[in-house]
Amino acid sequence: NPVRELEALRAQSHTIPAQPLQPGENPLAGLGGELLEVVADLAVGTAEKITLTLRGIPIVYNIQKQELVCQNRTVPLAPVDGRIRLRAYVDRTLLTLFANDGEAFLPLAASPAKGSQGLILSAAAPGAEIRSLQVHELSSIWQSPKKENPTP
């Protein structure tokens, strides 16, 4: 799992209430940003697959195959007590994904579509549910240089 120091970059946080994931609904509608951390605890239930799309990049969990797929990379991921836990970081060039507290790790070069800052969470069929979900908008670690005031 990532280092705790990343928590210091959290500029604004949003908590999504526990709820069933219904096909065609997006509980993350209206949220987004360029630099993000998403922390999700999802009960997989009887859904076929769950998709979390970050800035246009889909992360798909296939429940029957117990696989997590992102950008043509596939890793096995068995639910623990019927749940999967995801922690994803996305910025201008990277998508870093931790699953089930580090059981799976996917560091990926990413090219989010310019202007794409939205988030989508969806299920292919009823049965999955959000146990907990937080979206954190992050500050950049790069500080803008300070402009010196010219002296008159």
Side-chain angles (χ1 to χ4, degrees):
N1 276 337
V3 294
R4 292 199 182 278
E5 286 78 6
L6 291 173
E7 293 177 8
L9 297 176
R10 294 177 179 168
Q12 187 171 1
S13 297
H14 310 274
T15 298
I16 309 305
Q19 61 188 281
L21 271 176
Q22 298 296 336
E25 293 182 8
N26 177 18
L28 297 176
L31 296 180
E34 187 175 41
L35 310 172
L36 300 167
E37 173 189 9
V38 178
V39 182
D41 183 344
L42 306 170
V44 297
T46 57
E48 296 170 20
K49 66 181 173 178
I50 299 170
T51 303
L52 173 63
T53 304
L54 304 175
R55 299 192 58 212
I57 302 168
I59 302 163
V60 180
Y61 182 67
N62 184 310
I63 294 165
Q64 281 75 34
K65 293 182 180 180
Q66 295 188 354
E67 292 178 339
L68 190 63
V69 179
C70 185
Q71 293 190 328
N72 298 317
R73 300 236 351 244
T74 302
V75 294
L77 185 68
V80 176
D81 297 327
R83 299 171 15 210
I84 61 168
R85 290 177 306 284
L86 302 174
R87 180 180 302 265
Y89 293 90
V90 63
D91 67 13
R92 296 172 187 103
T93 61
L94 295 173
L95 171 64
T96 306
L97 181 63
F98 299 87
N100 287 353
D101 301 317
E103 183 179 316
F105 171 62
L106 284 172
L108 302 164
S111 297
K114 191 163 185 109
S116 174
Q117 296 190 4
L119 304 173
I120 302 169
L121 179 63
S122 63
E129 63 182 66
I130 297 170
R131 300 290 302 266
S132 67
L133 179 57
Q134 296 88 36
V135 175
H136 305 285
E137 297 174 44
L138 303 176
S139 299
S140 175
I141 62 168
W142 305 106
Q143 300 298 319
S144 299
K146 292 182 181 178
K147 294 182 181 179
E148 294 183 28
N149 291 331
T151 50

